Amino acid sequence: RMNRSSTTYPVFRGYVTDWGQVVPAADRAIYTTVQLADAFALLDATLVPSVYEDAILAKSPNVYYRFDDSNRLTDSSGNARHGTFNLTPTLTTSLLTNDTGKAWSADGNSRAAGVHTVNLSVVNVQVEFWFKTTATSGVILQMRNNGLSFFVMLRSGKLRAWNSGTSFYDETSAAYNDGLTHYATYDANAAAWSIDGVAVAKTTGSEAVPAATSGSPA
């Protein structure tokens, strides 16, 4: 409110974010520049970058990599299991609606080294990720735990989960290299793939060393 000639006028209702006091040397008076924000400031403070992130954090994940920081592989789970890139990754627009973050454009050369405490060979895990590709060979996401123990890969457009401890794999029957954005989950406990929220058919088999582990996924 402002008072002038004994009359008080309502000017603004909201939040003071900074008083900003300055004392110039010339006249030694105290000047205050008040920084204000309306009620949307409270709303901004409660919003997360995307609905997906909110859902993921509600699950208390062991590790959550957004792949949106070229300086460090930041773990957004709150567990501080940050990693590094061997090469500076190429970042592009996020695949998620209303997400202010970025996505990692895999070029077949850049590798991410994360830090986690889950022994993938003995613990039933669930991996989920968003991807968009037109590749027909090569690795999309590979997870190592000491030796190669589990990874999710693109194989002729299909996604495969493979465990080196048993050599058995579960691979989607259909290919998903159509250049569209897809959400994939693999539940190791149920040995089941889900694409875009729907359980999909799979094929199973045994392979000591996967034949297609190289290439340049896009």
Side-chain angles (χ1 to χ4, degrees):
R1 294 178 295 175
M2 179 185 70
N3 186 281
R4 182 176 183 180
S5 300
S6 300
T7 301
T8 300
Y9 302 90
V11 177
F12 179 83
R13 180 183 296 272
Y15 299 92
V16 176
T17 60
D18 185 23
W19 290 99
Q21 292 184 345
V22 177
V23 183
D27 53 17
R28 297 184 180 179
I30 298 177
Y31 294 86
T32 299
T33 302
V34 181
Q35 300 292 326
L36 303 175
D38 59 19
F40 280 102
L42 182 62
L43 180 62
D44 289 340
T46 60
L47 291 177
V48 295
S50 69
V51 174
Y52 175 74
E53 179 175 358
D54 194 24
I56 288 298
L57 294 178
K59 297 179 180 180
S60 299
N62 181 270
V63 64
Y64 174 30
Y65 293 133
R66 290 170 54 88
F67 296 114
D68 63 351
D69 184 351
S70 61
N71 297 314
R72 181 177 70 174
L73 184 62
T74 303
D75 175 20
S76 298
S77 71
N79 295 319
R81 298 188 172 107
H82 308 300
T84 59
F85 291 98
N86 72 319
L87 295 174
T88 301
T90 299
L91 301 181
T92 186
T93 303
S94 174
L95 300 180
L96 306 182
T97 303
N98 297 326
D99 188 352
T100 58
K102 299 291 184 179
W104 179 22
S105 179
D107 58 7
N109 295 310
S110 184
R111 298 288 184 267
V115 179
H116 58 81
T117 57
V118 176
N119 187 335
L120 299 175
S121 62
V122 298
V123 176
N124 290 321
V125 299
Q126 183 181 74
V127 180
E128 54 184 277
F129 58 98
W130 292 83
F131 72 96
K132 180 172 68 173
T133 185
T134 55
T136 57
S137 66
V139 176
I140 281 187
L141 173 65
Q142 178 171 294
M143 300 179 64
R144 292 178 181 269
N145 184 230
N146 295 322
L148 181 64
S149 61
F150 177 90
F151 65 74
V152 183
M153 62 180 293
L154 184 74
R155 181 183 175 88
S156 300
K158 301 177 182 179
L159 296 171
R160 167 181 289 204
W162 174 78
N163 191 315
S164 64
T166 63
S167 299
F168 288 105
Y169 64 79
D170 295 304
E171 184 173 279
T172 61
S173 299
Y176 297 95
N177 56 343
D178 51 16
L180 301 178
T181 299
H182 294 290
Y183 167 58
T185 67
Y186 178 74
D187 189 330
N189 185 44
W193 275 104
S194 174
I195 305 295
D196 300 329
V198 179
V200 297
K202 68 173 185 178
T203 57
T204 60
S206 177
E207 191 171 44
V209 179
T213 59
S214 63
S216 299

